[in-house]
Amino acid sequence: MTLAAPRGRPAPGQFAAALRFSLLGQTRNRMATLLLVLFVPLWYLVMEEMAGREPLDYRLFATGRVLTVDGGRLTLLSAGLNALTMICGFAVFDAVRRTLAFDRRLVHAGYRQSVLIGAKTLSVAVVTCAVACYAALVLLAFWRPGPAGWAAVLAGFAVMALTYGALGLLLGVLVRNDLEGFFLVIMGGLMDTFLQNPLGNPLANKPLLRWFPSFGPMQFATGGAFGGTAAWRYLALGLAWAAGFAACGLLIFRFRTRRRAR
């Protein structure tokens, strides 16, 4: 394969090759695959057993109503979101960090940074959305909210996966060692999703939670599954978090892979 290209013009097939490299880097993580296949159903099972079936009051900010929902099913939603934060954040962070030096060599060999940025963005979107689909499908083994409700859950899961995939991208080009990145992904995801569930957090219905990344996806999924409401602006809020993390990460990626004068 010819990596070099004339200055200012990408060689044919550069984007396809860069996309293949990025997808391979993200799918070769065996630990992330193991977490996806085994951890997601086990996590659903454990959280459902711990939560019980007691009714909970959940405030739907899109309508201002307070819904009385099944505590076990609400906990399944927050458990799914939490699993996505850890798996997507961990997988993307690990892949970006391991391939950063290789991406820099590609730029020096003639690849345009815009090609690598486009391929990396698309690969993160593909992988995270695939993980979200799997988590939403596994949820059906524990709870079937109905076609419209499940579609809302899937959309919320997809946006949450994109958000923490973008955060993993940002941390992958920003932090200096693995321990820092893993700690930020795991602890950030746990705190973010835990605070949205009134079962363990008495402040879960307070406006303060608007400033957390999981607020929009949780509101959208809950509104669709329990309230029959499509809170699109809250889904857009989640996408704004994903876009912000991705923009910061790709900007740093561009800086760290730039060509330096000899």
Side-chain angles (χ1 to χ4, degrees):
M1 179 183 299
T2 302
L3 298 181
R7 186 177 180 84
R9 185 181 62 184
Q14 272 195 1
F15 182 81
L19 179 61
R20 185 170 67 253
F21 293 150
S22 187
L23 286 173
L24 285 174
Q26 293 185 44
T27 55
R28 283 178 175 174
N29 191 323
R30 295 182 179 178
M31 178 59 69
T33 303
L34 186 63
L35 285 175
L36 177 64
V37 174
L38 299 180
F39 174 75
V40 171
L42 181 61
W43 190 236
Y44 279 142
L45 179 63
V46 171
M47 295 307 295
E48 184 184 40
E49 292 297 326
M50 291 179 61
R53 312 295 297 185
E54 295 182 3
L56 293 175
D57 291 334
Y58 184 84
R59 184 178 180 185
L60 191 62
F61 285 84
T63 61
R65 291 186 298 156
V66 176
L67 304 176
T68 300
V69 301
D70 185 302
R73 291 175 175 176
L74 183 65
T75 300
L76 284 175
L77 283 182
S78 62
L81 293 174
N82 177 241
L84 291 171
T85 64
M86 291 188 286
I87 295 172
C88 294
F90 166 66
V92 176
F93 165 76
D94 183 63
V96 171
R97 179 165 173 77
R98 285 189 294 106
T99 60
L100 185 60
F102 178 66
D103 291 329
R104 189 180 298 116
R105 290 196 296 270
L106 288 179
V107 172
H108 291 170
Y111 268 66
R112 294 186 64 178
Q113 287 181 305
S114 59
V115 171
L116 293 179
I117 288 173
K120 198 164 293 291
T121 302
L122 181 58
S123 67
V124 170
V126 169
V127 170
T128 54
C129 287
V131 173
C133 288
Y134 174 79
L137 287 172
V138 175
L139 179 66
L140 294 176
F142 300 89
W143 169 43
R144 299 194 175 188
W150 184 80
V153 172
L154 175 61
F157 278 14
V159 172
M160 193 65 176
L162 285 170
T163 300
Y164 271 80
L167 178 61
L169 170 64
L170 172 60
L171 294 176
V173 297
L174 184 63
V175 301
R176 294 296 181 183
N177 58 65
D178 293 341
L179 183 59
E180 294 175 5
F182 294 154
F183 177 82
L184 291 173
V185 167
I186 294 173
M187 294 307 299
L190 283 174
M191 292 181 61
D192 186 12
T193 53
F194 170 77
L195 292 175
Q196 303 293 335
N197 191 345
L199 179 65
N201 176 30
L203 302 178
N205 294 320
K206 300 297 182 181
L208 175 65
L209 296 181
R210 294 174 182 264
W211 302 104
F212 289 82
S214 66
F215 174 77
M218 184 71 174
Q219 284 283 310
F220 186 84
T222 305
F226 295 106
T229 302
W232 296 108
R233 63 192 181 102
Y234 288 98
L235 194 67
L237 178 62
L239 287 173
W241 274 100
F245 285 142
C248 293
L250 293 172
L251 184 64
I252 298 174
F253 174 82
R254 184 179 181 86
F255 174 78
R256 296 196 63 183
T257 59
R258 72 191 188 281
R259 290 184 179 182
R260 293 179 173 84
R262 295 183 179 178

